[in-house]
Amino acid sequence: HYDILEHRVPSGLVADYRNLLSQCEELYMKFLNVRNSISSSDSDSEVENVSMVEGLKLYEKIEHLKQKLKLIENPLLRYVFGYQKYSGLQAKGLRPTGTKVTHVVSSTMTASLLQFLIRDKLCPESCGEELEIQFHNDPLAAVNACYEGDTVIICPGHYVIDGVFCIADSVELEGYGLPDDIVIEKRGEGDNFVDCTGANIKISNLKLVQHDAVEGILNVHHGKTTLENCVLQCETTGITVRTSAELVMKISDLYGAKGAGVEIYPGSTCTLLDNGIHHCKEGILIKNFLDEQYDIPKITMVNNMIHNNEGYGVVLVRPTMPSDAKDASAERTKGILLFLEETPKTSKSSIPTQEEQPECITDELELYEQAEIPEQIKGNYDIANELGVTSAKKSQMHKKRLSELGITADDNLMSQEMFVSIVGNQFKWNGKGSFGTFLF
């Protein structure tokens, strides 16, 4: 209640919560009416039996809604399960004239800047065709004017916007210079900073600064977004990669998130290469649900520096499985969450056998076994091992379901779900360690 009053919850989630609450109250009134209609005597009339069945159905519906409400009310789980926002922004497609436009953004334009810009970016000889150019002094206005295939070139300067970048077409945003020289700062009330739904979006050489927000700095809802040589100064969470979306993040620096620096949803594809992720609550949060309706996320993490985060460098969120601690099942039935404060050190006996390991990580794990693992890069092995085990378990569950239907599963097809590569990352000075698991 107070989180809503103090604007710490996204407006979409508030609407979802109030809708669920009203449904729950309505069902509860129906349940009370049915319960009161049943006499306290031991009579076994047909009418009362029907009322009992109806009452049980209503009770089950109420319990289901209560679980959803609890997920939203719990600050730890609010952003994990409670809110899967869908951006319904429609793409414009190609411009009616069929042309592609280069949008140039600059608060002031000097003769020398224009000369350099023409030489480096706008010279017709460099692209083989005549360019159509539009000039803007506001990057938000430039993005809103884009159609499919357009390019936005942002010149050095400090730009303050009061709105949301909603990018639904395949466009490219490029800073002309170093990220620290091209700063876009978000001010004013509003949940989002950058929402991406385009098929192929590229953002490079920019610094994004977020203030007073309750949602992340960049949300990839659909399609592929490539982020290269950027600096992201976050406020709440950092980058969110939703189900079926793809993020490629290269040579970028992300810091300051009060939640996770990067949130990876099930069914998404995430490639992180040579980035710095630091001074966040958690570095990277992987949501790896084993339920059949979710695919395991495809993850590549190579040569990232994940350091100085308050919690873990990487956290894996997954359901409690039968092979986990036996008493966890009793906890789960009561709706109590089990949070592992420390991940046990992986002993050689706990490493999956050759048959159990996903094909794509077998060679990598063999290399780890041959050499002593330095503490600062041990997280690579822990993450690969944990994801490999859960991925293998999901494959076995899926094969079992298919076999029950009389269908033989193809091992090559099953292996496509596995993550790609997690190697060469360095984990330093993270408050709880390099890797942890959150069980629910």
Side-chain angles (χ1 to χ4, degrees):
H1 174 72
Y2 285 102
D3 283 348
I4 292 173
L5 287 184
E6 294 168 12
H7 305 291
R8 292 200 297 264
V9 183
S11 55
L13 185 53
V14 173
D16 289 348
Y17 179 75
R18 287 175 175 161
N19 182 44
L20 286 170
L21 196 60
S22 63
Q23 288 181 49
C24 200
E25 290 171 347
E26 183 180 342
L27 284 171
Y28 186 62
M29 291 305 298
K30 289 181 180 178
F31 173 77
L32 289 178
N33 291 334
V34 171
R35 191 179 67 176
N36 293 335
S37 68
I38 300 173
S39 65
S40 58
S41 64
D42 294 333
S43 63
D44 193 22
S45 68
E46 185 177 345
V47 174
E48 291 203 353
N49 285 339
V50 171
S51 297
M52 286 288 287
V53 172
E54 185 183 352
L56 286 171
K57 287 180 179 178
L58 286 170
Y59 180 77
E60 286 178 2
K61 289 180 181 178
I62 292 168
E63 286 299 308
H64 182 66
L65 289 175
K66 280 170 65 179
Q67 288 300 318
K68 288 186 175 181
L69 288 169
K70 286 177 182 177
L71 291 176
I72 298 175
E73 289 165 356
N74 188 323
L76 286 173
L77 299 180
R78 183 174 296 154
Y79 296 99
V80 179
F81 307 106
Y83 188 45
Q84 297 190 20
K85 179 186 170 185
Y86 170 73
S87 178
L89 186 68
Q90 295 296 315
K92 294 180 184 176
L94 292 172
R95 190 172 270 98
T97 59
T99 59
K100 295 179 181 179
V101 173
T102 298
H103 304 263
V104 177
V105 180
S106 182
S107 51
T108 59
M109 179 66 72
T110 64
S112 58
L113 176 60
L114 183 58
Q115 185 178 1
F116 289 133
L117 198 60
I118 291 172
R119 183 195 67 189
D120 295 336
K121 298 292 180 183
L122 307 179
C123 182
E125 288 80 14
S126 64
C127 59
E129 60 183 17
E130 191 69 29
L131 287 180
E132 182 177 335
I133 302 169
Q134 292 182 12
F135 288 90
H136 309 263
N137 60 8
D138 177 14
L140 187 57
V143 169
N144 290 339
C146 282
Y147 283 78
E148 182 78 13
D150 282 5
T151 300
V152 178
I153 298 173
I154 304 176
C155 296
H158 190 123
Y159 304 90
V160 178
I161 68 161
D162 188 2
V164 181
F165 286 103
C166 296
I167 310 174
D169 292 278
S170 296
V171 301
E172 183 172 351
L173 274 68
E174 179 184 357
Y176 181 55
L178 299 173
D180 285 337
D181 296 329
I182 305 114
V183 179
I184 302 176
E185 187 174 350
K186 171 76 165 67
R187 287 183 182 166
E189 289 189 4
D191 294 337
N192 306 327
F193 194 165
V194 183
D195 273 353
C196 296
T197 61
N200 193 5
I201 298 167
K202 294 182 180 178
I203 303 172
S204 60
N205 304 331
L206 296 176
K207 181 174 183 178
L208 304 179
V209 179
Q210 187 182 30
H211 294 292
D212 302 323
V214 291
E215 281 198 35
I217 198 165
L218 173 65
N219 280 290
V220 186
H221 295 280
H222 304 288
K224 177 182 178 181
T225 295
T226 300
L227 200 67
E228 185 170 0
N229 195 33
C230 288
V231 176
L232 289 83
Q233 180 179 317
C234 307
E235 176 73 17
T236 51
T237 54
I239 299 173
T240 302
V241 192
R242 301 282 178 176
T243 300
S244 301
E246 179 178 358
L247 171 72
V248 178
M249 180 177 171
K250 300 186 286 188
I251 326 172
S252 295
D253 193 46
L254 184 152
Y255 59 92
K258 293 185 178 70
V262 180
E263 286 190 5
I264 304 173
Y265 271 68
S268 65
T269 302
C270 187
T271 302
L272 304 174
L273 308 172
D274 302 292
N275 302 293
I277 301 172
H278 56 98
H279 294 92
C280 301
K281 174 71 174 177
E282 311 284 352
I284 297 170
L285 183 65
I286 302 171
K287 299 171 181 178
N288 189 2
F289 307 149
L290 284 180
D291 191 20
E292 62 268 22
Q293 62 183 314
Y294 294 107
D295 288 329
I296 287 174
K298 298 188 179 90
I299 301 169
T300 301
M301 286 173 55
V302 178
N303 298 335
N304 299 284
M305 176 66 82
I306 302 169
H307 65 95
N308 289 102
N309 296 291
E310 184 180 336
Y312 292 103
V314 176
V315 175
L316 174 67
V317 178
R318 65 172 177 82
T320 306
M321 294 178 292
S323 59
D324 293 315
K326 291 182 181 178
D327 54 347
S329 60
E331 298 275 328
R332 186 173 67 254
T333 58
K334 297 174 186 177
I336 299 174
L337 297 172
L338 174 64
F339 187 73
L340 301 185
E341 291 296 335
E342 291 185 4
T343 304
K345 290 185 179 293
T346 308
S347 63
K348 199 164 183 176
S349 62
S350 67
I351 297 172
T353 63
Q354 182 77 17
E355 291 76 15
E356 291 174 323
Q357 288 176 3
E359 294 175 11
C360 53
I361 64 164
T362 301
D363 296 337
E364 211 169 281
L365 294 183
E366 284 177 353
L367 290 175
Y368 276 112
E369 287 188 68
Q370 292 168 9
E372 185 178 349
I373 306 169
E375 186 64 29
Q376 67 183 31
I377 62 170
K378 184 178 181 294
N380 294 281
Y381 174 77
D382 290 339
I383 299 163
N385 186 39
E386 183 72 19
L387 283 181
V389 170
T390 55
S391 184
K393 285 181 180 177
K394 173 164 181 176
S395 296
Q396 291 168 6
M397 289 164 60
H398 189 43
K399 283 182 183 179
K400 185 178 178 182
R401 291 190 191 101
L402 290 177
S403 64
E404 288 170 355
L405 297 172
I407 302 169
T408 303
D410 183 357
D411 286 335
N412 290 329
L413 181 65
M414 298 298 292
S415 67
Q416 292 176 11
E417 295 184 65
M418 311 306 178
F419 66 94
V420 184
S421 177
I422 298 179
V423 64
N425 305 285
Q426 294 192 44
F427 300 87
K428 294 182 177 180
W429 310 300
N430 295 296
K432 293 184 179 179
S434 57
F435 178 65
T437 306
F438 183 87
L439 301 177
F440 66 93

